[in-house]
Amino acid sequence: MDLKRSRSVKLNDGHLMPVLGLGTYASEEVPKSKAGEATKVAIDVGYRHIDTAYLYGNEKEIGEAFREKMADGTAKREDLFYTTKLWATCLRPELVRPALERSLKNVGLDYVDLFLIHLPFAMKPGEELLPEDANGKYVLEVVDIRETWEAMEKCKDSGLTKSIGVSNFNHKQLELILKKPGLKYKPVCNQVECHPYLNQSKLLEYCKSKDIVLVAYSVLGSHRNPKWVDPNSPHLLEEPVLNAIAKKHSRSAGQVALRFLLQRGVVVLAKSFNEKRIKENFQVFDFELTPEDMKAIEGLNRNLRYSKFLFAEGHPYYPFSEEY
Ligand code: NDP
């Protein structure tokens, strides 16, 4: 990825993905309209890559923002890169295409650019996003991810999505897909948590060796929603080393965190619903971290994962028991 020449990376299926995307996840109490407003601001600022998921419940609002920005001439559909994800209750192969069709209906588009398996482990199908048993425990089930993947391949063949990929997979789960007899398409990317405290150097090296793009989430230290993240975990953007490097470049710690990953060949997502920070996060193409800066930030790695999905620990496809 040459950041000076290009702000996109070529995926292994030939499509282009912009290297910086707007994240749109927010906790339940944030009105969904905020995601739509942020999407409009982001498109005005120059973002062309928007990341969402069925789980986030904001596909309709993002679709409205797209239509408004296409109608006023700011962006054409073919210049926008829209990612959505297959939720864990829909991993059974027969549920995959209907789930994508539901997302397409929500957003009001006739194709998405990227469709990802959100998590490698499955939950009980049904209307509930997080199905619970009588004791309030989430109900999981085992679905062979290779069968889910075959259904994803059919979605690509049908034209409902341009590209297909995965999220929260460890390297063994990627390997399972890559070694599947009769594999038609490789995942174009693996979207995982990645930031200076969890720099994913081994997974990144593995992905690069297979021409799979690593897309990073929680680059700015995560949404910290206590439903998913331990409130006692450290705040990444308060990290003194990041702040010292930021000061030297007259930038913010957030910009340094984003730039660090971009210079390692990682595609980054940055969530903000605040106009000033949406703009700030886009100003990462006009400065460069030195090799010494990069080394110092690499030294911050401590394998700190904000989103552990611990309720699925023990499931045969729980991804985070492996080193990478
Ligand atoms: P980030 O790490 O991107 O951002 C976290 C918080 O930082 C936001 O709440 C934001 O608040 C704040 N922020 C944004 N910019 C700045 C800045 N420049 N300085 C200081 N604070 C800032 O959060 P996420 O964990 O949400 O990850 C990003 C996206 O990745 C998600 O929105 C989602 O699209 C995706 N994701 C995917 C997952 C998966 O399982 N595949 C899991 C988690 C996330 P504010 O809005 O107030 O600016």
Side-chain angles (χ1 to χ4, degrees):
M1 179 179 350
D2 179 350
L3 293 179
K4 285 208 183 79
R5 280 195 14 226
S6 156
R7 290 186 186 178
S8 291
V9 60
K10 197 174 204 167
L11 303 172
N12 65 34
D13 66 359
H15 290 294
L16 292 176
M17 173 192 272
V19 297
L20 170 63
L22 179 77
T24 64
Y25 170 74
S27 55
E28 288 71 23
E29 58 281 8
V30 178
K32 301 299 177 195
S33 57
K34 297 278 178 209
E37 286 160 25
T39 300
K40 283 189 264 179
V41 171
I43 293 173
D44 282 337
V45 168
Y47 291 72
R48 291 294 177 266
H49 174 171
I50 311 289
D51 181 84
T52 187
Y54 179 71
L55 176 74
Y56 307 167
N58 58 20
E59 291 172 298
K60 181 170 152 277
E61 288 73 13
I62 293 174
E64 285 163 3
F66 272 26
R67 276 186 292 287
E68 199 176 311
K69 287 292 118 193
M70 290 191 279
D72 75 7
T74 311
K76 295 200 216 77
R77 172 67 187 97
E78 59 268 32
D79 299 327
L80 293 168
F81 191 98
Y82 177 79
T83 302
T84 194
K85 310 186 190 93
L86 177 77
W87 182 235
T89 52
C90 301
L91 259 52
R92 291 186 193 177
E94 67 277 14
L95 301 178
V96 173
R97 182 178 170 135
L100 175 53
E101 286 170 339
R102 184 173 55 184
S103 281
L104 284 167
K105 196 164 167 237
N106 286 344
V107 70
L109 296 174
D110 49 17
Y111 70 89
V112 303
D113 294 278
L114 178 61
F115 191 40
L116 302 179
I117 302 181
H118 202 147
L119 291 162
F121 55 83
M123 302 179 92
K124 190 185 90 163
E127 284 311 303
E128 288 300 312
L129 284 172
L130 295 166
E132 291 180 11
D133 65 14
N135 302 316
K137 262 190 74 186
Y138 293 157
V139 189
L140 306 178
E141 63 171 22
V142 180
V143 177
D144 187 329
I145 48 178
R146 291 165 294 191
E147 290 178 13
T148 309
W149 187 253
E150 285 168 7
M152 297 288 285
E153 293 181 322
K154 291 193 183 113
C155 289
K156 178 170 161 73
D157 281 334
S158 69
L160 297 179
T161 181
K162 298 274 181 205
S163 299
I164 49 176
V166 299
S167 177
N168 295 302
F169 276 40
N170 64 38
H171 86 285
K172 288 196 175 158
Q173 294 168 332
L174 286 171
E175 195 85 3
L176 208 55
I177 305 272
L178 295 176
K179 291 207 167 131
K180 188 185 82 64
L183 180 76
K184 190 160 183 192
Y185 304 117
K186 296 206 290 189
V188 296
C189 71
N190 186 19
Q191 183 185 120
V192 294
E193 181 175 332
C194 184
H195 45 70
Y197 285 160
L198 177 72
N199 74 25
Q200 300 277 23
S201 53
K202 288 192 178 166
L203 187 60
L204 177 59
E205 197 183 325
Y206 174 83
C207 285
K208 281 185 177 172
S209 77
K210 305 290 179 192
D211 195 16
I212 293 171
V213 170
L214 193 148
V215 179
Y217 72 70
S218 297
V219 179
L220 305 169
S222 99
H223 47 78
R224 302 187 69 89
N225 178 353
K227 185 167 169 184
W228 306 100
V229 175
D230 176 1
N232 296 317
S233 52
H235 289 261
L236 176 70
L237 297 186
E238 289 172 7
E239 165 59 48
V241 170
L242 280 186
N243 281 285
I245 293 171
K247 195 166 175 213
K248 194 178 76 176
H249 290 275
S250 305
R251 298 284 165 154
S252 71
Q255 289 170 321
V256 170
L258 291 164
R259 183 73 205 184
F260 167 66
L261 293 187
L262 288 170
Q263 286 186 212
R264 293 166 81 226
V266 172
V267 169
V268 291
L269 302 176
K271 181 266 169 182
S272 182
F273 287 176
N274 170 283
E275 184 165 349
K276 180 179 155 281
R277 290 188 286 276
I278 292 172
K279 286 184 181 154
E280 178 182 319
N281 296 340
F282 201 71
Q283 303 308 312
V284 288
F285 297 106
D286 57 350
F287 77 107
E288 197 166 352
L289 297 171
T290 65
E292 294 74 36
D293 296 333
M294 294 296 288
K295 208 155 172 251
I297 303 170
E298 269 153 32
L300 296 174
N301 186 54
R302 56 188 73 170
N303 297 321
L304 185 146
R305 195 183 289 284
Y306 289 105
S307 294
K308 298 195 180 93
F309 304 103
L310 280 175
F311 59 87
E313 212 177 12
H315 185 287
Y317 285 123
Y318 179 71
F320 307 139
S321 307
E322 288 295 328
E323 185 198 355
Y324 71 99

